[in-house]
Amino acid sequence: MTKKLWGLSLAALLLLSAAPSALAGEMGGAASFVPKGMYRVSIQAGYVNEQKMKDIGGEASSASFASPQQDIKIKEDKHFGAVITYGLHERINVFAELGLVSDGRLSGDRTVPGTSAKQNLEATLKDALAWAVGIKGQLWEHKKGFGVMASARYFRYDDRKVDDWTGTGAGADIKGLGSDTSLDYWQFDLAVAAYWRFKRVTPYLGAKYSYAEGRLSGSWNLGSARGNIDDKYEPESPLGLFAGVDLRLFKRFHLNLQANFYDQTAFWVSGNYDF
């Protein structure tokens, strides 16, 4: 009992003080399951190289100076985080995440009004607090260690400042642009993965369906020109793939490595301790 209280105190400290904190993989930091009544603390880091969003075209709210409207990407985004997982049942785990998204980029093209010329816009995505909750369950497992699991997860951050805009192309570079813009983003994932559990190594491969919305809002000014932005972004593809491996290094500590591809290109690493 004392050991569990110490573990819970450590987990709470990590979640409250983790300046590096954020988003986990689809399976809550690791693919393996925490036994009923036990906890897992995971510390992780991730790098989203690129996530493509749908074109918004004529639906853009900012006609005179557009937010990105075509070939929209969230890229070079850093994630750091802490996750607590609890074993509700031998085959069912719930988890909660608290974290930070940091130093990403929002980029895309806009068609200059009255012309067919395109200008590339790019801005910095500042640091923002992120959180998520989820559940995962074991659907089936063969006695030789091959099995199937599934998960559901809701991830969100709000009021992430978007600043340092630049614009290039279309015969002129934008200089002296001022802005007060922010990005609110949420995503819901449903994932299924097949795994093969060996003594110390568990590789897995999965697919997911995601629905997400990013709302870019605020105002801009360029000399005497001013305007507002209120645009909604959705992922270009709702389907994604991921692959990873759990490595059990000690009795209670293991390492997880995961790569995401198709809907986004990303890489995650986490250290996990069970108690």
Side-chain angles (χ1 to χ4, degrees):
M1 184 66 177
T2 303
K3 187 180 293 185
K4 285 196 173 184
L5 287 174
W6 275 107
L8 283 171
S9 299
L10 174 62
L13 180 64
L14 286 168
L15 285 173
L16 291 174
S17 66
S21 350
L23 136 82
E26 285 67 22
M27 296 298 166
S32 60
F33 284 82
V34 182
K36 181 180 179 180
M38 293 188 66
Y39 292 86
R40 169 177 296 155
V41 177
S42 306
I43 301 297
Q44 63 200 349
Y47 180 77
V48 179
N49 182 59
E50 184 177 276
Q51 180 178 2
K52 294 182 179 180
M53 314 300 282
K54 290 180 181 178
D55 292 352
I56 56 177
E59 298 178 7
S61 66
S62 42
S64 56
F65 169 80
S67 57
Q69 296 178 357
Q70 300 100 31
D71 196 26
I72 305 160
K73 298 173 184 176
I74 294 174
K75 59 183 184 180
E76 301 171 19
D77 211 9
K78 290 84 176 173
H79 298 254
F80 308 93
V83 186
I84 288 183
T85 304
Y86 176 69
L88 278 179
H89 182 273
E90 296 299 328
R91 295 188 176 189
I92 302 175
N93 285 181
V94 292
F95 55 90
E97 311 170 17
L98 182 63
L100 190 76
V101 283
S102 176
D103 195 30
R105 307 289 291 174
L106 174 65
S107 71
D109 297 333
R110 65 118 179 189
T111 301
V112 178
T115 75
S116 59
K118 287 189 177 182
Q119 189 166 50
N120 179 260
L121 299 173
E122 188 162 301
T124 300
L125 296 170
K126 302 295 187 178
D127 296 354
L129 187 70
W131 61 272
V133 292
I135 184 171
K136 65 180 179 181
Q138 184 186 81
L139 302 181
W140 171 80
E141 183 175 295
H142 190 272
K143 61 182 180 180
K144 292 186 178 181
F146 178 77
V148 179
M149 56 186 173
S151 71
R153 177 172 163 274
Y154 179 81
F155 166 75
R156 186 180 191 106
Y157 60 77
D158 292 286
D159 198 29
R160 187 177 186 183
K161 296 301 180 184
V162 185
D163 208 351
D164 305 324
W165 286 93
T166 61
T168 57
D173 293 346
I174 294 176
K175 297 179 180 179
L177 173 67
S179 68
D180 182 13
T181 51
S182 63
L183 180 68
D184 298 336
Y185 182 89
W186 65 267
Q187 180 170 320
F188 179 73
D189 300 316
L190 290 173
V192 177
Y195 63 90
W196 201 320
R197 182 164 49 83
F198 299 98
K199 186 175 182 180
R200 289 185 175 272
V201 180
T202 304
Y204 61 93
L205 177 66
K208 65 173 182 174
Y209 174 85
S210 301
Y211 182 78
E213 287 186 5
R215 176 72 67 174
L216 181 66
S217 60
S219 61
W220 60 269
N221 61 84
L222 184 62
S224 60
R226 299 176 183 276
N228 295 317
I229 297 174
D230 185 16
D231 295 331
K232 184 175 76 172
Y233 298 138
E234 298 178 1
E236 185 177 78
S237 172
L239 301 177
L241 301 173
F242 59 93
V245 61
D246 274 351
L247 304 171
R248 185 167 295 279
L249 304 180
F250 304 102
K251 183 178 180 181
R252 294 178 179 269
F253 179 81
H254 52 102
L255 186 69
N256 176 265
L257 305 173
Q258 180 176 304
N260 290 35
F261 42 100
Y262 191 70
D263 64 329
Q264 63 175 210
T265 52
F267 180 77
W268 308 98
V269 57
S270 69
N272 307 271
Y273 181 76
D274 298 345
F275 58 93

